[in-house]
Amino acid sequence: MTNPAPALLRPDGSNLRVLVVDDEQMLTDLLSMALRMEGWDVKTAGSGFEALQTAREFAPDAMVLDIMMPDLDGMAVLQRLRQSGDDVPVLFLTAKDAVTDRVAGLTAGGDDYVTKPFSLEEVVARLRGLMRRAGTAHAAGAEPILRVADLSLNEDSHEVERAGTEIELTATEFELLRYLMRNQRRVVSKAQILDRVWNYDFGGRSSVVELYISYLRKKIDAGHEPLIHTVRGVGYMIKAPQ
């Protein structure tokens, strides 16, 4: 059964607003779909100048902003927003992965940074964290903690614990565990995992899933009753011991 994170709302109870800016139409469509599934109001822009105009009209609570754009890049868009007094939380989206690019984006006033390729769930989780930290949103229900037996995962703080002991996971291991826990007692195939955990056009082999499942098992199940199970010929499932 899927264990969804609680809905986030504006303090007045209305839906959060997110502006997605990228010159790649397919990417903005996919992100918009994922964010609307969270119950958020979404608008898109395909260029830097369009982003500035839409931001003025839409007044978003958060922005997903691609750095590399043909007319006005993301850095320049953010600079103009900040100069105008707009402190909207910004999640940078870029194909660049150098440390200097990350530092430049955050120094310019960005709040977080996701490197392509990414999973849609990672972008949603980062936005949830941004808006919580900014005080923009509150949860409509309980805290965003997923639990399976004595294993817990906090979607906002990215903290994972089993039997009270903190477990350090890489970003990919965390996304894989979150996907399994959101679908606890449901078998998910390698193809589903590749699509949801890695990125929307990942062309890799299913062996990478097997590799990361083995990493997770060493960190999650070592010394404990196993939670992660292989369903031969079908996929993987996480469930509490009987």
Side-chain angles (χ1 to χ4, degrees):
M1 180 177 179
T2 302
N3 190 356
L8 290 183
L9 301 170
R10 283 180 151 189
D12 63 4
S14 62
N15 292 339
L16 287 166
R17 298 177 181 177
V18 182
L19 174 59
V20 178
V21 186
D22 197 297
D23 60 344
E24 187 179 344
Q25 181 71 45
M26 183 175 71
L27 185 54
T28 56
D29 288 346
L30 285 166
L31 283 170
S32 297
M33 176 183 66
L35 297 175
R36 289 190 177 107
M37 286 177 67
E38 291 288 314
W40 301 342
D41 291 335
V42 183
K43 285 192 181 297
T44 63
S47 71
F49 289 115
E50 184 184 357
L52 290 171
Q53 179 179 344
T54 306
R56 286 193 294 269
E57 298 168 353
F58 186 48
D61 299 300
M63 185 182 296
V64 179
L65 181 60
D66 187 32
I67 287 184
M68 301 298 291
M69 288 185 290
D71 61 343
L72 191 67
D73 68 27
M75 296 289 192
V77 170
L78 181 61
Q79 184 178 35
R80 295 191 184 196
L81 286 171
R82 295 297 186 249
Q83 286 175 345
S84 69
D86 191 337
D87 60 354
V88 58
V90 169
L91 175 67
F92 271 130
L93 203 63
T94 180
K96 292 185 176 180
D97 59 2
V99 173
T100 52
D101 293 317
R102 294 173 183 264
V103 172
L106 298 176
T107 303
D111 298 275
D112 205 347
Y113 196 111
V114 173
T115 302
K116 300 176 185 177
F118 53 81
S119 74
L120 296 175
E121 287 192 347
E122 179 185 8
V123 174
V124 171
R126 294 290 187 90
L127 280 175
R128 290 176 67 89
L130 270 187
M131 289 186 279
R132 278 179 173 277
R133 291 195 296 273
T136 306
H138 70 280
E143 285 300 301
I145 297 178
L146 305 179
R147 299 183 191 279
V148 176
D150 56 355
L151 175 68
S152 66
L153 178 150
N154 188 309
E155 294 190 286
D156 285 350
S157 68
H158 281 217
E159 292 174 315
V160 176
E161 291 186 356
R162 180 150 193 199
T165 301
E166 187 171 351
I167 299 170
E168 294 291 334
L169 298 180
T170 67
T172 301
E173 290 167 351
F174 180 89
E175 293 302 324
L176 174 55
L177 181 61
R178 168 162 46 194
Y179 184 55
L180 291 173
M181 292 180 72
R182 279 191 168 189
N183 292 278
Q184 61 176 296
R185 300 192 66 82
R186 174 182 295 172
V187 180
V188 290
S189 69
K190 292 177 183 178
Q192 287 175 309
I193 293 172
L194 281 172
D195 180 59
R196 298 299 296 273
V197 175
W198 272 261
N199 65 86
Y200 61 93
D201 62 355
F202 184 75
R205 297 172 299 175
S206 60
S207 59
V208 72
V209 177
E210 298 170 9
L211 182 63
Y212 274 85
I213 286 288
S214 71
Y215 291 160
L216 266 189
R217 280 180 164 142
K218 289 175 183 175
K219 294 184 177 183
I220 299 298
D221 285 343
H224 299 278
E225 193 163 356
L227 298 178
I228 301 171
H229 302 272
T230 299
V231 180
R232 192 177 299 277
V234 183
Y236 301 95
M237 173 173 60
I238 191 168
K239 64 177 182 179
Q242 297 296 325

